[in-house]
């Protein structure tokens, strides 16, 4: 291979970064081709992992509004014991040490910076599950059955107590700090596609409070593609908006490709044109592949039942999770599912927490349990990382008579599969679930853990002029990695 | 090997390339690739050419050995661990370790090991290693000097000086430039480039038939003179200058400003007038100081107003500093927010010196002629409202840690300061401090008061008529309905502390909840539904407290009832709807019903009311059998008997085309002792119709008096303001001041009198248990009126003043987190002059960056490939220019020609460089020598910007609406709109889906558009209604002129793609046309429409060759 060929070939491997297809032609190509500031200083991702990956796909389940950590994955019996007392009257008065509370930033006026000091008893019982004996509340019995697959991190913290923390959970930066790429966008940017028929970063469910975009400075090509479980309209522009017969379309499709190919005589090395020809092929396939994903009649009745498709209270989330499994099967990299969108988020139980969490857990518990069981029995869980999270937790103290406020100092996230340990609990909060006290983790540690399992080094993904801070990268939680 | 390469590429395209062993390690450490990059990243910023902390430089092996104040950093001959560089980077104590804490990540164990093994091997480095260049010598920091135009052998190729610089590169690298593109291609290129639209059939024909030698220059002149040129290039500059319509959360404006379109129109107009670039920048930065009385020019300052962020001043200032730096100067000053810049000579304090230029500025909305309501129109602009606000350095960029020991003065980085910066306070004209002096402002206020008066007079007349009617009907018989048996219904009292989903089913609409209220925020003419899961009792009393915030048109809120029994999981269609509508004119309370599928709005079921936005109201509905009494704010408003039978069942709270909140809802069975009034009934036990009609007339009369007093007061105040301006301290001015004050006092009296009438009536009809409260209110109203009258008798103090009529509205901030607007800021009579000083520095010929950055932006948009790849960073970390002399020549040309952008456009597009073809066929040699076309031996194809894609479809169909300027088209109207995409509402939250698919500009930062190729674009062009509908229209127009099939195909290729179709292409199209025609229900027309659809999906449709 002569020098030209060698250079040319290496330069063009950015096309491996197809993601949703050929995105390397955008930002990556422009910067790489034209930035000669430093020899060898920067190159766009090749689409290959930086080191041997353990996982290939991520299913990211996000509960909008903030799940109560004490009533889900970090039960705290002391709350019931001292319920009704102010924290100062209990042995846990030191949780109110101003230094410990200094973590909070005040960033917007709807931040609920108030401390709710009167302890509110647990509103639900809890049990130990499986061989691991992980304690999980009775609102999540189906997830409980899968306890031996979970790696629960009980020591998360964040810094902003308003719902802008939703953005923070996804990008590491609060709404007020500006717009930054979300984790899914980084994965999309860093990793090549595993399937040429489908977009590689998909979002389902409502997402209203936080910014609806993902790519930000990486470019719109790295935004999640919004998908719906409605087979008639699963994707924007997925079907002709005006009557246009399939056969007429097919003739046109063939002609488009024929004419484009013909132009390649005059423009033999036009990468954009080559990419466009491929994009039309992919688009045409997507018109079939995407509706196919949400055609659940291909699934057995038992599977449909497992995911709760026959039950109104969890049908929609069940369909989204079943679609997610089918997408992972097809090699889609990152599927982000928001539960309880609309306003600040359905889980935002400032009042009537019991009714709120009862209803919401009914909607998600069975499908999530089903997803874990289904992935495992199909041998897919080892390569698929499932994440369950919300932007923060809720206060140990009560808000009003029957609610809990936003809480940033300690909350829980769990992950499962993707080469993580199974049936482990990592980190801990204090006895009332107020502060994360053992192995504390900021939200980007979740990002770092996921990227590590996918074989990506976030520092190698940085682009010129966009230096990220140490805290943006986070640190992998090695203790839960198998 | 070629095969391997091709295969690799193929696999890459398919995305199945196997992981490269990129993470394998090699034995020998290479200084240039492994050590130097590491040191550059971690050490050079302080120990290189930028700074020499402790006298030490680490940018060559020799300098390392030389060392600094502590001796040699590198002593490879000795013990490896004893090397100072190793000692310092491996130091466990963070206080002693290098890089210092907060200034860079510590070296990892692997990196230290790497460094050690390099030293152990003798620290080899190249013998000819050059130290880093002195930052003062950096090319972009040198004042622009017009370079000599090179004298090149291939002179016949070039047309102008641009070509000479390009040809020099060709000559040096042995490259032959491509031939000129075809004439039709050139026309298409020019047309899109200069006006953003494809050439018309006539333009193509004229061009092809023009045998003159200067056809090209004539075309350039025509297009540059076309007003659509301003529209096209405005969008480019709007990318760079971060144009954004306002966005926030629901109805709360949090970012940017309303009516930003004034700035957009200013950009369009300025470009069409060829306003000099430097002048544009000066006005954008400081028109409030440079042209403070000129509303047209003040529009420019929305460049800064756009950075408004309601909650946080530091974020606002950060965005301002960052993007003035990147956009106008190509400087990444933002890197110095937390620490000294790692590459450029910009210290952390310089960042805050830049911030200090902007520290005093705030935003306000100036009134425009004919529109006194700032929510409808107004010019967003800046003013120095906080002249005394100190700027402090934030320690490590943390706003919670300002260093208050020193107030930072405005200033520019020392290296770029060619003369001491002079900041001189600007005394503003009176109209700046008192915007009401604009001649239209007082007129606007008077017109509003007159309109208001006319409206209440009309109401008074109808109240009079109603009274007469009531008097006529006073003798009618009383009707009674028999109370229904309502089995024990547990009353519902809903305060919306939570949104209880065991009680409510959320139906259509966009509902959100916050404690104490639910919010409906879906705009547009459709019902939004919150359905009670429990059925309502047959006879009931329902009370809804609500607030209407807006809505496009009807703005209705009400209670629907008598639905089929509510079943879980779905909403039903009730038979009755009683609602209040804030739709002006014609605000009313209306009872309506479903008459076998047709909704009726009976005249006897409605009553006009006054209904203001953002004001809480209570709608109470009493229903017994077919009889309904509706109260608005406890005032009986509608008495109606349904002509159709009732069918008790489900109940819903409903909004229609309204943004509204519900605060409270109460539902109970109607007690059997409550007597409902019947239509036309002459007497009632507690309230009688006649009394009510009399009261209504009294009220209406009182309101007329208030409106008259208000108009009088506005006239008096306007006169007083005018006198004070014309002859301050005159006797007349004094008299007018007194009269203005008195007019307001009289207005207060009339308002108090109106309230007393209200209180009196409420007292008369108060139920026994509410009587005490009503008495208190009445007494208070009496007292207020008496006091107001007292004030009229008192003398007026010398320093007393009246309420001035405003000519501008401060855009309130909420920096203080009180949940309310911060205290009002005055409009000062002076401005600090800081931004003027900045603007002068930015646009001074000696500023080395401004003109270079501008011509690079212009070049990029003409050619699709910049001269400096990092268009926002001309600093030392930015890309090296491919043609440094050309960029300097263009910068000089811009400045020497009065900063005329049209001049630069003309120079560029008339060059041979611009006119080259983009083909690569038969270019093996050129490709081998310059695969990335760094030396411009060919043209690079450009993917059309999102706006151009959509606009061109409309233009080809002849449906493009050519209207220029005005308010942005809101998202809900965009599907139907045929305006140019430039005019679409464009914010961080709201963007058009079709445009987004084609890499719409991000409003937060867009110094270059993406040119992605993704399958969603294929789906959008294949399936969007716009394309499918336009295809038929385009085909029909073409067929009318070219009935012959081959002629049709040829013309379609010319117009849609700028391609003269080849025989192969024509044959392919003909064969497809035949296939289409054979489909069932196909016609010649439908086949031709399909062909047009195909060509819109052709690669070259979205490509500028």
């Amino acid at each position: 291979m002569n020098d030209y060929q060698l250079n040319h070939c290496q330069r063009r491997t950015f096309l491996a970064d197809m993601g949703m297809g050929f995105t390397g032609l955008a930002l990556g190509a422009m910067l790489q081709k034209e930035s000669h500031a430093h020899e060898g200083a920067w190159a766009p991702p090749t689409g290959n992992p930086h080191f041997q990956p353990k996982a290939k796909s991520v299913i990211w389940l996000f509960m909008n509004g903030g799940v109560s950590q004490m009533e889900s994955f970090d039960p705290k019996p002391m709350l019931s014991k001292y319920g009704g007392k102010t924290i100062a009257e209990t042995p846990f008065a030191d949780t109110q040490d101003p230094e410990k509370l200094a973590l909070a930033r005040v960033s917007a006026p709807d931040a609920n910076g108030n401390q709710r000091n009167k302890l509110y008893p647990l509103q639900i019982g809890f049990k130990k599950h499986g061989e691991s004996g992980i304690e999980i509340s009775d609102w999540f019995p189906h997830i409980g059955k899968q306890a031996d697959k979970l790696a629960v991190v009980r020591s998360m913290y964040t810094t902003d107590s308003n719902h802008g923390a939703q953005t923070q959970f996804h990008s590491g930066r609060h709404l007020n700090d500006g717009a930054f790429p979300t984790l899914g966008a980084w994965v999309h940017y860093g990793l090549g596609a595993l399937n040429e028929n489908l977009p590689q970063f998909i979002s389902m469910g409502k997402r209203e409070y936080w910014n609806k975009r993902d790519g930000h400075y990486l470019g719109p090509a790295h935004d999640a593609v919004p998908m719906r479980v409605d087979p008639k309209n699963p994707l924007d522009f997925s079907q002709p908006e005006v009557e246009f017969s399939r056969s007429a379309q097919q003739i046109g499709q063939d002609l488009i490709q024929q004419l484009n190919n013909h132009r390649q005589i005059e423009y033999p090395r036009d990468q954009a044109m080559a990419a466009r020809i491929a994009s039309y092929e992919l688009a045409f396939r997507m018109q079939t592949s995407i509706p196919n994903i949400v055609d659940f009649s291909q699934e057995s009745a038992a599977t449909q039942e497992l995911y709760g498709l026959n039950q109104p209270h969890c049908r929609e989330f069940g369909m989204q999770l079943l679609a997610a499994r089918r997408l992972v099967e097809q090699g889609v990299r990152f599927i982000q599912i928001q539960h309880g969108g609309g306003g600040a988020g359905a889980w935002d139980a400032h009042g009537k927490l019991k009714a709120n969490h009862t209803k919401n857990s009914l909607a998600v518990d069975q499908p999530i349990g089903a997803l874990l069981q289904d992935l495992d029995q199909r041998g897919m869980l080892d390569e698929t990382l499932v994440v369950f999270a919300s932007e923060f937790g809720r206060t140990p103290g009560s808000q009003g008579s029957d609610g809990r406020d936003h809480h940033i100092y300690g909350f829980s996230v769990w992950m499962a599969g993707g080469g993580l340990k199974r049936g482990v609990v990592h980190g801990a909060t204090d006895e009332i679930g107020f502060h994360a006290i053992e192995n504390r983790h900021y939200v980007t540690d979740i990002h770092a853990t996921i990227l590590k399992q996918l074989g990506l080094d976030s520092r190698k993904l940085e682009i010129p002029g966009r230096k990220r801070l140490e805290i943006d990268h986070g640190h992998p939680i090695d203790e839960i990695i198998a | 090997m070629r095969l391997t390469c091709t295969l690799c590429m193929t696999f890459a395209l398919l995305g199945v390339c196997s992981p490269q062993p990129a993470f394998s390690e090699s034995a020998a450490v290479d200084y240039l690739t492994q050590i130097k990059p590491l040191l550059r990243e971690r050490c050079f910023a302080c120990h290189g050419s930028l700074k020499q902390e402790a006298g030490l430089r680490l940018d060559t092996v020799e300098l390392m050995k030389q060392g600094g104040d502590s001796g040699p950093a590198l002593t490879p001959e000795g013990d490896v661990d004893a090397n100072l560089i190793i000692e310092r980077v491996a130091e466990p104590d963070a206080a002693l370790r290098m890089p210092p804490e907060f200034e860079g990540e510590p070296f990892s164990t692997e990196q230290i090991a790497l460094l050690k093994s390099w030293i152990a091997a003798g620290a080899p480095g190249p013998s000819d290693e050059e130290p880093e260049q002195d930052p003062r010598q950096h090319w972009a920091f040198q004042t622009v000097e017009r370079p000599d135009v090179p004298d090149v052998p291939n002179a016949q190729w070039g047309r102008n000086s641009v070509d000479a610089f390009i040809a020099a590169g060709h000559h040096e690298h042995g490259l032959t430039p491509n031939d000129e593109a075809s004439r039709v291609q050139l026309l298409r290129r020019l047309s899109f480039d200069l006006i953003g639209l494809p050439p018309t059939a006539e333009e193509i024909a004229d061009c092809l038939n023009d045998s003159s030698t200067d056809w090209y220059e004539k075309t350039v002149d025509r297009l540059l003179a076309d007003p659509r040129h301003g529209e096209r290039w405005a969008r480019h500059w709007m990318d760079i200058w971060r144009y954004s319509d306002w966005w926030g959360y629901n109805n709360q404006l949090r970012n940017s400003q309303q009516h930003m379109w004034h700035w957009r129109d200013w950009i369009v107009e300025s470009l069409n007038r060829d306003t000099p670039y430097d002048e544009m920048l000066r006005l954008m930065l400081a028109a409030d100081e440079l042209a403070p009385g000129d509303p047209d020019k003040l529009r420019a300052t929305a460049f800064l107003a756009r950075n408004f962020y309601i909650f946080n001043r530091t974020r606002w200032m950060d965005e301002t500093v960052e993007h003035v730096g990147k956009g106008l100067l190509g400087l990444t000053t933002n890197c110095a927010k937390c620490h000294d810049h790692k590459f450029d000579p910009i210290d952390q304090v310089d960042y805050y010196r830049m911030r200090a230029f902007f520290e005093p500025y705030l935003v306000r909305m100036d009134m425009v002629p004919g529109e006194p309501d700032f929510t409808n129109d107004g010019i967003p602009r800046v003013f120095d409202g906080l002249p005394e606000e100190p700027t402090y350095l934030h320690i490590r960029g943390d706003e919670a840690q300002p260093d208050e020991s020193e107030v930072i003065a405005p200033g520019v980085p020392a290296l770029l300061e060619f003369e001491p910066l002079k900041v001189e306070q600007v005394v503003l004209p009176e109209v700046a401090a008192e915007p009401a002096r604009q001649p239209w402002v007082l007129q606007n206020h008077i017109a509003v008061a007159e309109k208001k008066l006319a409206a209440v007079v009309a109401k008074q007349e109808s109240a009079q008529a109603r009274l007469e009617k009531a008097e006529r009907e006073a003798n009618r018989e009383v009707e009674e309905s028999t109370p229904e048996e309502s089995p024990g219904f547990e009353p519902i009292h809903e305060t919306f502390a939570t949104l209880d989903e065991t009680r409510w089913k959320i139906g259509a609409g966009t509902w959100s909840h916050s404690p104490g209220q639910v919010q409906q925020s879906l705009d547009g003419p459709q019902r939004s539904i919150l359905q009670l899961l429990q059925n309502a009792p047959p006879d009931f009393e329902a009370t809804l407290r609500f607030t209407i915030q807006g809505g496009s048109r009807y703005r209705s809120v009400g209670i629907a009832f008598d639905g089929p029994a509510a079943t879980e999981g779905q909403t039903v269609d009730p038979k009755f709807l009683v609602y209040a509508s804030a739709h002006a004119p014609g605000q009313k309370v209306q009872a309506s019903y479903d008459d076998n599928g047709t909704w009726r709005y009976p005249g006897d079921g409605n009553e006009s009311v006054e209904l203001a936005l953002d004001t809480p109201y209570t709608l109470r509905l009493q229903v017994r059998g077919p009889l309904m009494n509706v109260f608005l704010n406890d005032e009986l408003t509608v008495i109606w008997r349904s002509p159709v039978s009732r069918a008790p069942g489900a109940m819903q709270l409903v909004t229609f085309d309204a943004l509204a909140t519900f605060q409270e809802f109460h539902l109970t069975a109607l007690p059997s002792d409550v007597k409902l009034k019947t239509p036309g009934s002459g007497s009632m036990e507690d309230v009688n119709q006649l009394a009510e009609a009399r009261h209504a007339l009294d009220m209406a009369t009182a309101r007329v008096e208030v409106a008259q007093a208000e108009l009088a007061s506005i006239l008096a105040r306007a006169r007083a303001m005018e006198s004070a301006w014309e002859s301050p301290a005159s006797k007349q001015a004094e008299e007018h001041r007194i009269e203005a004050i008195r007019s307001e006092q009289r207005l207060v009296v009339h308002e108090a009198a109106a309230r007393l009438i209200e209180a009196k009536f409420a007292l008369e009809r108060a139920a026994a248990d509410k009587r005490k409260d009503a008495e208190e209110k009445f007494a208070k109203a009496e007292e207020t009126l008496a006091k107001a009258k007292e004030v009229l008798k008192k003398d007026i103090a010398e320093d007393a003043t009246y309420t001035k009529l405003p000519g501008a509205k401060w855009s309130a901030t909420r920096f203080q987190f009180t949940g309310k607007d911060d205290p009002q800021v005055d409009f000062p009579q002076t401005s600090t002059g800081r931004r003027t000083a900045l603007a002068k520095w930015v646009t001074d010929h000696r500023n080395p960056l401004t003109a270079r950055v501008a011509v690079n932006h212009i070049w990029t948009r003409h050619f699709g490939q910049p001269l400096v790849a990092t268009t926002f960073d001309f600093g030392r970390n930015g890309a090296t220019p491919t043609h440094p002399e050309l960029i300097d020549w263009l910068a000089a040309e811009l400045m020497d020609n009065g900063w005329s952008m049209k001049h630069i456009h003309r120079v560029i597009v008339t060059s041979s460089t611009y006119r080259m073809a983009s083909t690569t066929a038969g270019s093996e040699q050129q490709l081998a020598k310059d695969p990335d076309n760094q030396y411009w031996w060919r043209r690079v194809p450009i993917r059309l910007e999102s706006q151009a894609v959509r606009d061109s479809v409309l233009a080809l169909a002849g449906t493009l609406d050519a209207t220029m300027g005005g308010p942005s088209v809101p998202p809900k109207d965009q599907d139907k709109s045929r305006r140019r995409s430039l005019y679409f509402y464009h914010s961080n939250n709201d963007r058009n889906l079709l445009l987004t698919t084609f890499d719409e500009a991000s409003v937060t930062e867009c110094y270059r558009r993406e040119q992605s190729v993704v399958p969603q674009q294929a789906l959008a062009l294949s399936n969007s209604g716009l394309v499918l509908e336009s295809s038929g229209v385009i085909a029909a127009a073409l067929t009318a002129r070219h009935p012959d099939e081959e002629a049709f195909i040829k013309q379609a290729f010319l117009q849609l793609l700028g391609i003269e179709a080849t025989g192969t292409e024509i044959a392919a199209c003909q064969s497809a046309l035949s296939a289409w025609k054979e489909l069932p229900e196909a016609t010649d027309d439908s086949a031709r429409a399909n062909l047009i659809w195909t060509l819109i999906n052709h690669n070259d449709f979205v490509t500028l060759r």
Side-chain angles (χ1 to χ4, degrees), chain A residues 161-222:
Chain A
S161 65
N162 66 349
H163 293 285
Q166 289 175 4
T167 330
Q168 194 170 5
F169 203 96
H170 288 81
S171 71
R173 296 291 189 94
H174 187 266
L175 204 59
N176 274 6
D177 297 333
F180 295 84
T182 66
L183 179 67
W186 283 114
V187 171
H188 188 260
Y189 178 63
L191 286 180
L194 296 169
N195 182 325
E196 62 204 271
N197 293 336
L198 287 165
Q200 293 294 297
F201 179 18
I202 284 180
S203 160
M204 286 185 270
K206 274 195 199 170
R207 174 173 165 186
E208 287 177 3
Y209 190 91
W210 45 299
N211 195 296
K212 290 168 196 165
R213 302 181 73 78
D214 296 281
H216 295 297
Y217 65 67
L218 296 177
H222 301 288

Side-chain angles (χ1 to χ4, degrees), chain A residues 1 4-5 8-9 11-13 15-16 18 20-23 25-27 30-31 33-39 48-52 106-110 175-179 192-194 196 208-209 211 213 217-221 225 235-242 244-245 247-249 251-253 255-256 258-260 262-263 265-273 275-276 279-280 282-283 286-287 342-344 350-352 359 459 464-467 470, chain B residues 1-2 5 8-9 12-15 17-20 23 40-41 105 185 249 254 309 311-312 315 322 326 498 500-501 510 512 515 817 819 865-866 869 876-880 918-921 924 927-928 931-932 934 941 943 988-989 991 993-994 996-997 999-1000 1004-1005 1008-1026 1028-1029 1053 1059-1060 1062 1064-1065 1068-1069 1072 1075-1076 1079 1090-1091 1093-1095 1097-1100 1102-1103 1105:
Chain A
M1 187 187 274
Y4 154 62
Q5 286 165 335
H8 209 69
C9 184
R11 219 180 351 259
R12 301 310 180 194
T13 51
L15 280 169
M18 280 172 66
M20 183 56 196
F22 330 105
T23 52
L25 279 174
L27 184 77
M30 293 199 300
L31 285 170
K33 272 166 58 178
E34 295 150 12
S35 171
H36 301 287
H38 304 299
E39 64 281 3
N48 296 320
H50 300 125
F51 44 86
Q52 197 59 50
V106 176
S107 48
D110 56 342
L175 204 59
N176 274 6
D177 297 333
L194 296 169
E196 62 204 271
E208 287 177 3
Y209 190 91
N211 195 296
R213 302 181 73 78
Y217 65 67
L218 296 177
V225 173
L235 201 64
D236 292 325
F237 298 118
S238 61
Q239 300 300 325
E241 292 178 348
V242 170
F244 192 30
S245 80
S247 39
Q249 219 181 121
I251 296 166
Q253 279 289 343
L255 182 59
I256 292 168
Q258 216 179 331
L259 294 175
N260 280 337
H262 180 70
R263 281 283 126 190
I265 299 167
E266 197 178 339
Y267 305 102
R269 283 172 191 79
D270 186 334
Q271 297 292 334
M273 180 143 74
R276 191 167 306 282
S279 82
Y280 268 80
L282 173 50
M286 268 164 56
Q287 281 180 281
H350 291 283
K352 297 206 172 157
K359 180 172 179 283
R459 285 166 182 83
R466 290 295 189 173
K467 177 74 183 163
E470 198 53 21
Chain B
M1 282 315 280
R2 178 181 272 278
C5 177
C8 176
M9 271 192 64
L13 268 164
L14 294 174
C17 237
S18 60
Q20 298 292 316
F23 26 89
R40 176 184 290 120
E41 188 189 313
E105 294 165 35
Q185 229 166 35
Y249 180 52
R254 292 184 171 184
Y309 179 57
F311 295 135
N312 186 294
R315 171 168 152 190
E322 174 173 357
K326 286 180 173 176
T498 63
D500 180 357
E501 301 203 6
T510 304
S512 55
F817 303 137
Q865 187 172 305
R876 294 168 74 236
N877 196 38
T880 309
S918 64
T919 179
T920 46
E924 296 300 328
L927 280 166
D932 288 334
Q934 274 203 66
R943 218 290 317 287
N988 196 46
N989 285 7
R991 264 172 289 198
L993 179 62
L994 181 67
T996 306
T997 312
D999 307 311
E1000 179 64 311
T1004 49
E1005 179 166 338
R1008 278 177 79 183
R1009 282 287 176 96
E1010 299 278 336
Q1011 297 187 32
S1012 75
V1013 182
V1014 297
Q1016 291 103 308
Q1017 293 165 356
L1019 289 176
L1021 283 184
S1022 306
N1023 292 334
S1024 84
L1026 177 78
L1028 287 165
E1029 279 159 11
F1053 268 71
I1059 292 175
E1060 283 156 298
T1062 64
T1064 316
E1065 282 165 329
C1069 292
W1076 274 313
L1079 294 176
N1090 292 344
L1091 180 62
W1093 172 87
T1094 304
L1095 297 187
N1097 282 279
H1098 191 290
N1099 179 68
D1100 280 20
V1102 292
T1103 306
R1105 286 279 172 208

